[in-house]
């Protein structure tokens, strides 16, 4: 089989067989238990898989008696072992609903097997400081930016189970609406109370 490993990283290849089993990654043999046995033999090998697509191949042979074979490949997610962050999410898009003052950011799903989710960030134009808005397991997020008429930028970053974070997507700009200030402010004061009144802002 061939699959996309995303950014790659450390993996554990676990194989067991009765009788023989061999495991290859991109044609290179990683596990070799090719012998006639009377009981199941097993081995786990730690490998680093480069980013992108790679081919896994499993050969099994049964000479006599019962036949058993099992193979798994799982990412190693300990922070002391995995130092490789996910790839940057692809195809970021943003839409803005002026009626509801809602900015929706969406992006493509990552291929990493150890992906934990995505984090969404926002910053004001002219600032270099990003504010983390949320973490999500989905590929979209809806935000209500401050209604100040300013331009805000959004980006998404993927993070894995070891805590590694990808670079951010290309900045996606949104110009927020400006809420009208209420007018006709009036006040009245007595010995014990103060009362304020104003004209309602028309609905958008």
């Amino acid at each position: 089989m061939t699959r996309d490993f995303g950014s790659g990283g450390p993996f554990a290849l676990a194989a067991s067989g009765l009788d023989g089993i061999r495991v290859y990654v991109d044609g290179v043999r990683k596990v070799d238990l090719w012998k006639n046995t009377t009981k199941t033999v097993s081995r786990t090998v730690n490998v680093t898989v480069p980013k992108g697509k790679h081919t896994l191949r499993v050969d099994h042979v049964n000479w006599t008696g019962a036949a058993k074979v099992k193979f798994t490949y799982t990412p190693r997610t300990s922070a002391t072992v995995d130092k490789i962050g996910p790839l940057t999410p692809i195809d970021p898009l943003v839409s803005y609903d002026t009626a509801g003052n809602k900015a929706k950011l969406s992006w493509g799903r990552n291929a990493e097997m150890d992906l934990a989710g995505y984090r969404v960030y926002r910053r004001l134009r002219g600032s270099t400081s990003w504010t983390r808005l949320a973490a999500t397991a989905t590929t979209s997020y809806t935000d209500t930016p401050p209604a100040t008429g300013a331009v805000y930028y959004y980006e998404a970053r993927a993070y894995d189970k070891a805590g590694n974070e990808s670079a951010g997507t290309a900045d996606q700009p949104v110009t927020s609406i400006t809420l009208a200030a209420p007018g006709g402010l009036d006040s009245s004061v007595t010995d014990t109370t103060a009362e304020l009144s104003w004209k309602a802002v028309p609905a958008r």
Side-chain angles (χ1 to χ4, degrees):
M1 63 167 288
T2 298
R3 71 156 295 154
D4 190 342
F5 283 81
S7 61
F11 276 77
L13 311 181
S16 63
L18 179 62
D19 297 310
I21 183 171
R22 287 173 177 160
V23 177
Y24 299 79
V25 179
D26 293 332
V28 179
R29 190 183 302 168
K30 300 296 183 180
V31 176
D32 189 355
L33 298 172
W34 204 253
K35 57 184 177 181
N36 191 356
T37 66
T38 58
K39 61 181 180 179
T40 301
V41 291
S42 60
R43 180 167 299 163
T44 298
V45 177
N46 294 327
V47 300
T48 298
V49 179
K51 68 179 181 179
K53 294 183 178 180
H54 300 279
T55 299
L56 299 172
R57 172 182 141 198
V58 178
D59 296 343
H60 173 247
V61 62
N62 174 246
W63 281 285
T64 58
K68 296 179 182 179
V69 62
K70 182 178 181 180
F71 170 68
T72 61
Y73 60 103
T74 54
R76 302 173 66 201
T77 59
S78 168
T80 59
V81 174
D82 183 7
K83 303 296 183 181
I84 299 175
L87 297 179
T88 302
I90 61 172
D91 301 329
L93 294 172
V94 69
S95 61
Y96 182 60
D97 174 18
T98 56
N101 187 28
K102 300 291 184 182
K104 182 178 181 180
L105 180 68
S106 62
W107 55 90
R109 185 170 298 278
N110 280 50
E112 288 84 7
M113 290 179 63
D114 63 341
L115 187 71
Y118 305 91
R119 295 173 180 143
V120 180
Y121 293 81
R122 183 185 72 203
R123 70 174 174 89
L124 180 66
R125 183 172 66 178
S127 171
T128 59
S129 177
W130 288 93
T131 298
R132 192 166 88 183
L133 300 177
T136 176
T138 66
T139 55
S140 66
Y141 180 76
T142 300
D143 177 49
T144 303
T148 60
V151 176
Y152 294 91
Y153 292 104
Y154 291 87
E155 69 175 39
R157 305 174 194 174
Y159 69 100
D160 61 24
K161 294 178 181 178
N164 302 304
E165 188 176 76
S166 75
T169 54
D171 293 356
Q172 303 297 305
V174 159
T175 302
S176 69
I177 61 173
T178 302
L179 292 181
L185 183 65
D186 193 15
S187 64
S188 61
V189 179
T190 69
D191 291 339
T192 58
T193 62
E195 184 177 303
L196 294 177
S197 63
W198 56 87
K199 292 182 179 179
V201 175
R204 293 183 60 87

